[in-house]
Amino acid sequence: MTDTIILGLSAYFHDSAAAILRNGEIIAAASEERFSREKGDSAFPSHAVAYCLKQAGVTMADLTAVGFYDKPILKFDRILMTYMSVAPRGFTQFRKAGPLWIKEKLWIESDIRKELQGYKGPMFFSEHHESHAASAFFPSPFPEAAILTIDGVGEWATSSQAVGRGSEIEILKEMRWPDSLGLLYSAFTYYTGFKVNSGEYKVMGLAPYGEPKYVKLIYDKLIDLKEDGSFVMNQDYFAYLDGLTMTNEKFDQLIGGPPRVPESNLTQREMDLARSVQEVCEEVMLRMARSLHRETGLPNLCMAGGVALNCVGNGRILREGPFERIWVQPAAGDAGGALGVAQLIWHRQFKGPRQADGKTDQMQGAYLGPSFSEHEVESYLKSVGASYTKLERQELLTTSARLLADEKIIGWFNGRMEFGPRALGARSILGDPRSPRMQAQMNLKIKFREGFRPFAPSVLRERVSDYFELDADSPYMLLVAPVKKERCIPPKEGAQKLWGIEQLNELRSDIPAVTHIDYSARVQTVSRDVSPDYHDLISEFDRMTGCPVLVNTSFNVRGEPIVCTPQDAYTCFMRTNIDALVMGPFIMHKADQTEWTETEDWRWQFQLD
């Protein structure tokens, strides 16, 4: 029987990606940014497509079908109707965007066929939120589940509630443009001086430093929230319908000043705004989840869309919501749409079967990107004159764990790269969570980013409930949970008088490097059957220290995509204060390397996120 090979694509807006299935099995998936080294790359994912074809061992001629993750004509319809509804306001924006749409984005099918070197087979387009829903449900472990998708906007929908049973998905209801939880959050992202579509997680990380002083104002002036989680936004205060910014002068007057200038000092106002919009976001998410549960009565929930990366909200849904279990697509943003449309085609067009045992998902730990052989790694290291040592597996684990126990920072490059925005032990920077200095050291000397941003713990799955108020799988770092009370350190006298960033240096638990100022942590559980090398490294660290937890942050600097190749990893290692680099069986110590020189300041390569 001939294999059914399906290629899914996300492109042209932000976070382009490709994914490939063989007879319904996920073979590979990757974002274009990892290859192009341009964060959030929106170009056609030519490098990601080439990788997917290579990983599947097929050529363009072997493809059975190609899918695109949304419907450009419907999206253009929404954009055109929006401009007409606010005319003559917004003409400047339409003058910029209209010709681009007419010239390029309405002809996406012909552009895709050209990029795919004359691919002649069928091409399918799914609606944006249907792609998100498919990416959430089909790879999940659940035979049936409720599905919640929330983001900025697709064609017209800004969120959807659906149900998945077996190999079928049914959309029950949608919220529609211009009322959008994703855009509300992005408006506050813009106003607090961060970059829309990439800085939202900074707002989430900043929120615990503030007070919810603006919550009532948001409900009174900005959104009319209903019991079922639906709401209407007061567009008098927003500019995304007819302008080139998210908020307007009336919003400035409401808050009491202009937006923060990016990269300027943070003030208590930004912290309070972050806390306020985060609390509103969580309340909306909870109400949507409760409404969906009332409608479906199902015990399991699947989630996707950019707002599903709000792991604080996800954690509250798990702890306080009506669902027994939740599963969040690790590539919840637009990149995951490439996977979703491919799976929709498999189940809907080709009537492909689906297997779900209620326990194991189909994402393979999200390790769906490229890997590099021992020979490829060593060839690169020789080519740059790196000083390295090859070790047997157990010696490598023991040596690495000892370095970590001595408060050294390690770049860990192991196996297939992750799909999605989180590093999960394949392209990670690791540290000792017991160190009070680790968070500041990693932020300022390794990542070159804002000091307030928290780091996540990787913990052995079998030990997670010893450290966190969580007894569930969280393999994709998409759930926030409280640190166990018995591990927490009460605030010192006078600590309550500290404001904002001053709170950062207060010890809060016996794993201070991963305990945020509200005594929470964004948890990754590590199972040996999915991540054997990473699990065994943490186990070795536990044997030495009695602590089955590591600090895990993505292997990159601020503004740079997560490393993909040995070259990316070694370059990042040499540009930063990482103490050691492990790639496959090879270990390198910074002190042993020759001096690293570049003709220009490398930080200009990456646009700040």
Side-chain angles (χ1 to χ4, degrees):
M1 186 179 78
T2 305
D3 286 340
T4 300
I5 310 292
I6 301 170
L7 179 70
L9 301 171
S10 158
Y12 302 125
F13 298 99
H14 60 90
D15 208 10
S16 295
I20 197 164
L21 311 182
R22 175 185 282 112
N23 300 328
E25 179 187 357
I26 305 170
I27 302 301
S31 292
E32 184 68 7
E33 68 167 21
R34 305 295 176 85
F35 305 93
S36 69
R37 311 309 297 157
E38 180 182 335
K39 192 153 189 175
D41 196 342
S42 62
F44 183 84
S46 54
H47 298 91
V49 168
Y51 155 67
C52 284
L53 294 174
K54 180 181 178 183
Q55 187 68 29
V58 298
T59 66
M60 212 71 75
D62 298 315
L63 294 176
T64 311
V66 171
F68 190 75
Y69 81 127
D70 71 3
K71 294 187 174 179
I73 297 239
L74 286 180
K75 186 169 284 189
F76 182 66
D77 176 56
R78 185 254 300 166
I79 290 169
L80 189 59
M81 292 293 288
T82 298
Y83 288 135
M84 291 174 64
S85 71
V86 299
R89 291 181 295 124
F91 178 72
T92 300
Q93 188 180 10
F94 181 73
R95 189 175 59 188
K96 291 182 177 181
L100 179 66
W101 267 95
I102 294 167
K103 182 181 178 183
E104 296 179 9
K105 294 185 178 180
L106 285 180
W107 308 104
I108 280 179
E109 180 170 350
S110 61
D111 286 348
I112 291 173
R113 290 188 182 277
K114 191 183 302 181
E115 294 283 357
L116 296 181
Q117 301 167 12
Y119 166 73
K120 303 295 185 186
M123 190 171 296
F124 300 93
F125 293 78
S126 71
E127 291 197 24
H128 186 97
H129 274 265
E130 203 167 31
S131 295
H132 277 322
S135 77
F137 175 64
F138 288 136
S140 81
F142 309 133
E144 61 178 7
I147 310 167
L148 179 61
T149 71
I150 317 172
D151 66 3
V153 62
E155 296 85 7
W156 283 97
T158 61
S159 72
S160 73
Q161 297 184 22
V163 63
R165 290 188 171 92
S167 56
E168 296 182 356
I169 283 175
E170 178 188 1
I171 304 291
L172 303 176
K173 60 182 178 180
E174 297 177 336
M175 265 186 63
R176 292 170 73 83
W177 171 270
D179 303 312
S180 165
L181 183 58
L183 291 178
L184 175 70
Y185 208 93
S186 290
F188 278 80
T189 301
Y190 162 78
Y191 193 80
T192 52
F194 301 116
K195 189 176 179 180
V196 172
N197 285 331
S198 71
E200 283 76 9
Y201 62 95
K202 297 185 187 182
V203 176
M204 183 179 67
L206 188 63
Y209 294 92
E211 298 295 330
K213 293 179 180 179
Y214 297 91
V215 168
K216 186 176 185 301
L217 191 68
I218 293 172
Y219 287 135
D220 287 347
K221 298 292 186 179
L222 299 183
I223 69 168
D224 180 13
L225 178 61
K226 309 300 183 185
E227 187 57 37
D228 65 356
S230 64
F231 57 87
V232 176
M233 293 174 67
N234 185 347
Q235 293 300 328
D236 289 346
Y237 294 94
F238 300 95
Y240 58 79
L241 291 182
D242 59 1
L244 298 175
T245 59
M246 295 299 297
T247 60
N248 59 22
E249 289 183 4
K250 193 169 180 179
F251 191 100
D252 297 354
Q253 293 167 7
L254 182 69
I255 302 301
R260 169 181 168 253
V261 175
E263 305 305 316
S264 63
N265 289 336
L266 287 162
T267 69
Q268 192 64 44
R269 184 186 73 156
E270 285 77 49
M271 298 171 201
D272 294 341
L273 287 166
R275 174 70 174 273
S276 300
V277 76
Q278 177 63 30
E279 289 206 0
V280 170
C281 179
E282 292 169 24
E283 181 62 27
V284 174
M285 292 173 74
L286 276 166
R287 290 192 188 190
M288 285 183 172
R290 288 167 179 151
S291 170
L292 182 55
H293 185 263
R294 285 193 296 270
E295 187 146 350
T296 65
L298 294 171
N300 300 317
L301 173 67
C302 299
M303 297 176 65
V307 177
L309 294 171
N310 193 305
C311 46
V312 180
N314 298 343
R316 284 195 64 190
I317 290 174
L318 180 62
R319 291 192 304 277
E320 302 173 35
F323 291 97
E324 295 174 15
R325 298 172 66 192
I326 73 171
W327 189 86
V328 185
Q329 165 56 239
D334 278 8
L339 179 59
V341 67
Q343 292 177 310
L344 267 178
I345 293 169
W346 167 247
H347 293 297
R348 186 169 289 173
Q349 303 297 329
F350 293 94
K351 308 301 180 187
R354 174 176 179 259
Q355 307 213 334
D357 62 8
K359 299 176 183 177
T360 307
D361 69 46
Q362 302 304 306
M363 289 297 294
Q364 304 163 45
Y367 304 123
L368 297 170
S371 64
F372 296 85
S373 68
E374 180 180 320
H375 173 72
E376 288 174 310
V377 172
E378 188 166 24
S379 293
Y380 172 74
L381 294 177
K382 286 181 177 177
S383 74
V384 294
S387 174
Y388 62 91
T389 304
K390 182 179 178 181
L391 299 176
E392 294 298 321
R393 184 175 187 274
Q394 186 54 51
E395 188 179 0
L396 186 75
L397 294 172
T398 301
T399 301
S400 301
R402 173 51 58 200
L403 287 168
L404 291 165
D406 290 339
E407 295 191 56
K408 302 299 184 185
I409 296 172
I410 291 182
W412 185 257
F413 183 100
N414 180 273
R416 294 183 70 177
M417 181 182 71
E418 303 91 340
F419 182 48
R422 306 286 181 240
L424 302 168
R427 304 289 187 274
S428 292
I429 298 172
L430 307 177
D432 185 347
R434 303 168 304 155
S435 169
R437 298 173 293 278
M438 191 58 61
Q439 181 181 2
Q441 188 177 353
M442 278 188 158
N443 266 330
L444 300 176
K445 295 186 177 182
I446 308 296
K447 304 285 281 187
F448 303 108
R449 69 185 198 182
E450 303 94 339
F452 71 83
R453 288 164 60 178
F455 288 108
S458 293
V459 58
L460 299 179
R461 171 62 183 92
E462 58 270 26
R463 298 284 303 281
V464 62
S465 57
D466 294 344
Y467 281 78
F468 307 100
E469 298 292 345
L470 179 71
D471 192 13
D473 293 330
S474 181
Y476 304 122
M477 209 183 279
L478 286 169
L479 293 173
V480 163
V483 176
K484 279 276 193 180
K485 285 188 173 58
E486 54 266 35
R487 298 201 169 273
C488 293
I489 299 170
K492 290 188 299 188
E493 187 176 349
Q496 65 271 21
K497 297 179 182 177
L498 298 175
W499 74 275
I501 302 300
E502 290 176 347
Q503 303 171 67
L504 182 63
N505 297 321
E506 292 296 303
L507 286 183
R508 288 177 175 77
S509 77
D510 60 0
I511 45 171
V514 294
T515 303
H516 205 14
I517 67 163
D518 59 354
Y519 292 91
S520 71
R522 189 181 73 204
V523 180
Q524 179 200 4
T525 55
V526 181
S527 301
R528 194 176 196 284
D529 57 342
V530 177
S531 311
D533 290 341
Y534 194 36
H535 185 279
D536 288 356
L537 174 65
I538 302 173
S539 297
E540 187 66 18
F541 182 78
D542 180 32
R543 187 187 67 77
M544 289 182 183
T545 65
C547 178
V549 182
L550 289 177
V551 181
N552 175 13
T553 189
S554 55
F555 199 156
N556 61 332
V557 295
R558 183 184 173 192
E560 179 191 20
I562 295 173
V563 302
C564 175
T565 66
Q567 178 179 351
D568 299 335
Y570 187 76
T571 300
C572 187
F573 166 60
M574 293 303 295
R575 285 172 168 173
T576 62
N577 291 299
I578 297 173
D579 296 299
L581 171 61
V582 175
M583 283 203 284
F586 307 106
I587 187 167
M588 286 139 273
H589 299 274
K590 178 64 64 63
D592 297 337
Q593 308 307 309
T594 56
E595 185 178 353
W596 181 262
T597 58
E598 295 186 56
T599 55
E600 297 180 0
D601 186 346
W602 58 267
R603 292 182 216 190
W604 290 104
Q605 291 181 22
F606 306 120
Q607 186 177 355
L608 293 180
D609 58 5

